[in-house]
Amino acid sequence: GQIEALSGLDVQVSKRVVRFFENIGLMKDATAYSRLLAENEVDFDGLILLQDHHLRELGIVKLGIRNKILYGIADLKAKRRALGAALKPTGSAEESAPRHSD
């Protein structure tokens, strides 16, 4: 409901960012935090780069909220690393195949 209400405004709120805030337990403020990031041109990929001082600059001053966001970011980074490791080939077919010279 709230995302649709914002769609007519000049700032595009990322549904992925809203979901991030919902997933870390900030349900009622997910859209507000997402809008704050959008107004500062922070998209989902930029979200992962945020650090504590960035959150303070954005006006997020409550320690508990900042900790939840930073923990959520760390969790996202860990999941991305795990996914990258799972997708990385351990040895390509070219490397393991014997080479024949003609």
Side-chain angles (χ1 to χ4, degrees), residues 5-88:
L6 293 175
S7 63
L9 301 175
D10 57 345
V11 175
Q12 181 68 33
V13 176
S14 166
K15 290 180 183 179
R16 290 175 73 194
V17 175
V18 172
R19 247 189 336 269
F20 167 81
F21 286 113
E22 290 173 347
N23 289 340
I24 63 171
L26 300 175
M27 301 294 237
K28 67 181 178 115
D29 296 318
T31 302
Y33 286 122
S34 299
R35 181 166 176 68
L36 177 65
L37 294 185
E39 288 170 349
N40 286 276
E41 298 185 16
V42 178
D43 59 8
F44 187 78
D45 292 325
L47 171 69
I48 287 185
L49 303 174
L50 292 178
Q51 297 175 5
D52 187 55
H53 67 276
H54 297 130
L55 297 177
R56 286 177 196 233
E57 287 176 29
L58 290 168
I60 302 171
V61 295
K62 291 185 179 178
L63 179 61
I65 301 296
R66 292 196 325 266
N67 282 341
K68 281 184 180 184
I69 294 169
L70 293 171
Y71 182 81
I73 290 170
D75 190 46
L76 269 180
K77 287 180 179 179
K79 286 177 180 171
R80 281 192 171 189
R81 276 194 300 274
L83 182 61
L87 296 176
K88 190 175 183 180

